[in-house]
Amino acid sequence: MSTYSSLLKTPGVARIIAAQLTARFPFGMLSLAYLLHIEQITGSYGAAGLVLAATSIGQAIAGPLTSRWMGVWGMRRVLTLTMIVCATSIGLIAFIVDASVPVYMIIGFIGGLSMPPIQPAVRTIYPKMVNSKQLTALFSLDASAQEIIWVAGPVITTFVATQISTTLAIVIAGVFLVGGGLWFILSPEVGRVRIPRSKRKLGVVLSKPAVLLSTIVGFLLVGACAAVEAGVVAAFGHGGPEAGIVLAVFAIGSLAGGLSFGHVPVGPWALSRRMLGVFVGMALAMFSLNFWWLGVTLLIAGIGIAPALAVMFAIVSATVKFSDTAEAYGWVGTGQLIGAALGSAAAGFLIDANGAVGGFWAAAAFAFVGFLIPTILRSWHPDLRGRELSSIPDTAPVPIQPS
């Protein structure tokens, strides 16, 4: 733990982690809050699902686009503009009670499209805050800490929405977005880092093997996690605390894994090894829907999640030019969003056909392919042991031969 204590003593690191987590806290609240709110208004979960789908599509499109804009107009301008538009859309969904479903879908799409690119911004800033030897640990700490979003966010949303008001649940998410967003935007580190304008066309960064590998494996990893969530909810229903407890254990496993393995050097087998652990845990979960069995097996699966994410962030940082890092992380985020949508959909079909165990079948299948891809494409995975992890500078000194 000394690695993390020294990290948090580095000027600005604790502040920037806390600020970005606060700004991203709505990510763990809005989906559930929208689901409960729109269902309450329309009486249809199908209508709520359409609004969520529109919001997710907007987020997926925005990932690389708004991230790239930060190199054109600057981080603070892009973050401020997107925060204002997104907060407005959140307010409209919270307080407009007589709109049609297509109107809610349009508002949700605009909100998703304008979701502030906090994650690409902060992961672009990190290499400028610590030395290269600390960077893997910082990425791991970040990936572990974000589990707070997925544990506390749904709990707060469910309590407020069911006990007080779905409108208030959405408003609280908006308050986190604006309060955390302003805290992050006004942090000195955001003002110090200037992302150079990329000279490449949108999407060209995906030609980098490490970026494409991280995008594909991130898609599969998050798809597996989304399928697990659907399977757990189907297994225990909404009537008791069992589903929430099991999912909390799943997230705690990820938190513990990230803190335990964050200092381990990233070799060429790093991603496949971590994904193997995720697959083993999810595959074991298929054999019983017993509460204790799922708690243990998903704890095992969770241990690999944050370390796998940390490896993805590290290999992207070490292999792309600084001007392309934000867009690269935007593509990785888009892959994860698509994975969440398809993982939930695949699990839903299998649960309808085979019961709750179908969700774990889908999860294990996603995780197995997620292990297979980095194993087969090991040549795409850089060996970062003993290497600088900071982004490649856009300019470099030109050696001059003596005459």
Side-chain angles (χ1 to χ4, degrees):
M1 296 301 289
S2 60
T3 302
Y4 300 109
S5 62
S6 64
L7 261 180
L8 294 174
K9 291 176 183 176
T10 303
V13 168
R15 178 179 60 246
I16 207 74
I17 289 177
Q20 62 97 7
L21 283 177
T22 306
R24 291 168 54 206
F25 205 76
F27 290 20
M29 301 180 68
L30 280 176
S31 293
L32 185 56
Y34 281 2
L35 178 72
L36 297 171
H37 185 67
I38 302 299
E39 189 278 331
Q40 186 180 78
I41 291 173
T42 64
S44 169
Y45 279 105
L50 289 174
V51 176
L52 289 179
T55 304
S56 296
I57 291 170
Q59 286 181 282
I61 294 171
L65 192 60
T66 54
S67 300
R68 188 179 176 91
W69 286 349
M70 290 192 291
V72 179
W73 296 309
M75 277 193 283
R76 280 181 166 159
R77 288 181 181 177
V78 173
L79 291 169
T80 301
L81 176 61
T82 52
M83 182 187 69
I84 291 170
V85 175
C86 188
T88 302
S89 75
I90 290 172
L92 289 173
I93 286 185
F95 293 109
I96 294 179
V97 295
D98 57 354
S100 64
V101 172
V103 170
Y104 283 123
M105 289 176 66
I106 292 170
I107 297 172
F109 176 76
I110 294 171
L113 198 61
S114 60
M115 191 66 72
I118 300 289
Q119 193 175 69
V122 75
R123 285 172 185 155
T124 301
I125 291 171
Y126 281 158
K128 303 299 181 182
M129 297 183 66
V130 299
N131 62 53
S132 61
K133 293 181 180 179
Q134 295 176 300
L135 196 53
T136 299
L138 180 53
F139 280 135
S140 187
L141 180 62
D142 176 271
S144 302
Q146 73 178 4
E147 294 299 339
I148 297 169
I149 297 171
W150 307 113
V151 174
V155 172
I156 294 172
T157 299
T158 303
F159 176 80
V160 174
T162 57
Q163 303 300 315
I164 305 175
S165 159
T166 56
T167 298
L168 181 60
I170 296 174
V171 169
I172 290 174
V175 170
F176 273 111
L177 178 79
V178 174
L182 288 173
W183 185 10
F184 181 76
I185 291 165
L186 296 176
S187 297
E189 294 76 16
V190 177
R192 293 191 195 115
V193 177
R194 174 74 173 89
I195 303 173
R197 184 192 294 260
S198 177
K199 298 176 182 177
R200 298 164 185 79
K201 293 182 179 179
L202 180 67
V204 171
V205 72
L206 282 172
S207 63
K208 293 285 186 181
V211 177
L212 187 56
L213 179 65
S214 296
T215 301
I216 294 170
V217 178
F219 157 79
L220 293 163
L221 173 60
V222 175
C225 293
V228 161
E229 291 171 4
V232 169
V233 170
F236 299 108
H238 301 275
E242 291 89 350
I245 293 171
V246 170
L247 291 176
V249 170
F250 186 41
I252 290 168
S254 177
L255 176 63
L259 295 178
S260 299
F261 300 108
H263 62 283
V264 177
V266 176
W269 293 101
L271 192 51
S272 59
R273 284 173 179 165
R274 287 155 175 78
M275 288 302 300
L276 177 61
V278 175
F279 164 66
V280 169
M282 291 183 178
L284 289 173
M286 296 189 298
F287 292 100
S288 173
L289 299 181
N290 173 270
F291 172 78
W292 294 106
W293 177 259
L294 287 180
V296 172
T297 55
L298 293 183
L299 178 67
I300 294 169
I303 288 172
I305 293 172
L309 290 169
V311 169
M312 295 178 216
F313 304 148
I315 63 176
V316 169
S317 175
T319 55
V320 301
K321 289 189 175 182
F322 183 59
S323 60
D324 292 324
T325 51
E327 184 190 338
Y329 288 127
W331 283 111
V332 173
T334 291
Q336 292 174 2
L337 285 167
I338 296 171
L342 293 184
S344 296
F349 284 117
L350 288 173
I351 289 168
D352 287 342
N354 305 282
V357 70
F360 297 100
W361 292 351
F366 271 87
F368 178 68
V369 180
F371 155 70
L372 206 58
I373 293 294
T375 302
I376 295 172
L377 302 177
R378 186 171 62 89
S379 61
W380 290 15
H381 191 304
D383 185 351
L384 303 184
R385 293 172 296 185
R387 278 185 51 183
E388 291 283 335
L389 299 189
S390 299
S391 302
I392 300 169
D394 285 80
T395 57
V398 178
I400 300 174
Q401 295 294 333
S403 57

